[in-house]
Amino acid sequence: MEELFSTTYPVAQADYVTAGKASADIKRRLKQLGVGGDVLRRVAVASYEVELNLVIHSLGGELTLTVFPDAVQLVSADVGPGIRDLAMAMREGYSTANEEARSLGFGAGMGLPNMKRNADEFDIQSEYGKGTTITMRFRLS
Amino acid sequence: MTIRDMVRILSARVLIGEEKLDTPVYTACCSDLMSDVLAFVDEKTVLITGLTNPHVVRTSEMLDLKCLVFARGKIPTEDILESAEEQGLVVISTKLTAFSTCGMLYEAGLRGVPVPVEWDSKEEK
């Protein structure tokens, strides 16, 4: 289906200070486009979680927001290192986050399960040594 | 109750959002773990915390929270308060500990955010 809007945000590894800026911008843009309520909240939470994951776990990557007439899509693609054990990573409470992330209130092992819970469609592809791509879609009713 | 009532009950200082003190509040949550707040809170509520980094405000922004309460007299830095102001959040600080803050507000009628919790089966965890 035809894209209404698309934008990509670079997200740097270990940039704990600005982490969340992309998600705040995504939320603002969607609001301007008339997306609100429950969908907006779910996109915002999933976006923030995936952005934090890029900062905490990846070597850097980008987050792309695409708006279709009937859905919002978020794609997070990083340049590595990939997830060693994807099944474990999807479990609530399992985390490999470092001390810095934990000191900020993250790294409780809720990120991926929370993204999955908030998105209407969730797909994760990861190859250890290469990288991870997460695609999430949110239906606009 | 309203945020103004909370300020009175907690003898709190209003740091941001003086004009929004009449906003009604019904529930609250208390956590220093933003991961949990992001995962379990799905209503516009009050967050009581002892953590004062920028992610507390950003988490509040993502969840459209109404009010942030910093316990034990903590006051975040100016830039954090500015970003809270930009998003229209009310921020207050109380000298009480997080435990006492929760207790006083509960006693006055505020309740916890409903969080669905299921026990895992024995094999799990």
Side-chain angles (χ1 to χ4, degrees):
Chain A
M1 199 174 269
E2 179 199 355
E3 279 180 29
L4 297 177
F5 176 81
S6 187
T7 185
T8 296
Y9 304 83
V11 181
Q13 175 189 21
D15 187 358
Y16 295 98
V17 178
T18 59
K21 283 254 164 81
S23 300
D25 194 67
I26 284 171
K27 191 177 181 195
R28 269 192 292 272
R29 281 172 189 263
L30 289 175
K31 218 170 186 175
Q32 284 165 5
L33 291 168
V35 179
D38 173 61
V39 181
L40 181 62
R41 193 193 54 78
R42 287 191 289 117
V43 175
V45 169
S47 167
Y48 189 35
E49 292 274 23
V50 82
E51 186 181 353
L52 284 163
N53 267 18
L54 283 172
V55 170
I56 296 169
H57 299 288
S58 86
L59 301 170
E62 52 186 38
L63 183 56
T64 302
L65 164 75
T66 309
V67 183
F68 299 94
D70 64 342
V72 172
Q73 180 177 276
L74 285 177
V75 177
S76 155
D78 67 37
V79 296
I83 299 169
R84 206 187 288 259
D85 187 337
L86 191 54
M88 281 302 282
M90 288 305 299
R91 281 174 67 150
E92 287 191 1
Y94 177 81
S95 177
T96 57
N98 61 21
E99 254 327 292
E100 190 163 11
R102 289 173 199 266
S103 73
L104 292 171
F106 300 108
M110 297 306 298
L112 288 171
N114 198 25
M115 287 173 220
K116 192 175 178 186
R117 185 164 40 229
N118 278 290
D120 292 310
E121 290 170 41
F122 175 89
D123 177 69
I124 180 164
Q125 303 291 332
S126 189
E127 192 177 333
Y128 189 63
K130 290 214 167 141
T132 303
T133 301
I134 295 172
T135 306
M136 293 182 276
R137 280 178 82 92
F138 306 80
R139 283 189 290 276
L140 297 170
S141 45
Chain B
M1 71 174 77
T2 63
I3 298 175
R4 193 181 301 282
D5 294 325
M6 287 174 43
V7 170
R8 181 178 42 79
I9 293 161
L10 304 173
S11 305
R13 250 169 86 176
V14 180
L15 304 176
I16 295 289
E18 189 79 49
E19 70 289 355
K20 289 188 172 173
L21 294 185
D22 292 316
T23 307
V25 290
Y26 308 99
T27 59
C29 62
C30 176
S31 184
D32 285 350
L33 203 49
M34 294 305 111
S35 294
D36 273 359
V37 177
L38 282 167
F40 298 119
V41 173
D42 65 356
E43 59 182 77
K44 298 177 180 179
T45 188
V46 172
L47 171 61
I48 298 153
T49 186
L51 208 60
T52 53
N53 68 57
H55 290 285
V56 175
V57 170
R58 222 156 267 158
T59 297
S60 307
E61 179 174 10
M62 296 306 145
L63 293 168
D64 286 327
L65 300 186
K66 291 177 182 174
C67 177
L68 260 178
V69 183
F70 290 108
R72 273 200 296 120
K74 291 194 177 183
I75 294 180
T77 54
E78 208 46 50
D79 53 325
I80 295 175
L81 287 176
E82 271 169 29
S83 79
E85 191 161 27
E86 273 168 31
Q87 57 169 289
L89 195 63
V90 181
V91 182
I92 66 175
S93 178
T94 172
K95 286 183 180 172
L96 298 170
T97 62
F99 177 82
S100 299
T101 302
C102 295
M104 303 276 272
L105 294 177
Y106 192 94
E107 195 175 53
L110 211 60
R111 289 295 175 260
V113 173
V115 172
V117 177
E118 280 178 33
W119 291 107
D120 288 328
S121 61
K122 272 185 188 164
E123 312 75 85
E124 297 241 72
K125 288 178 191 169

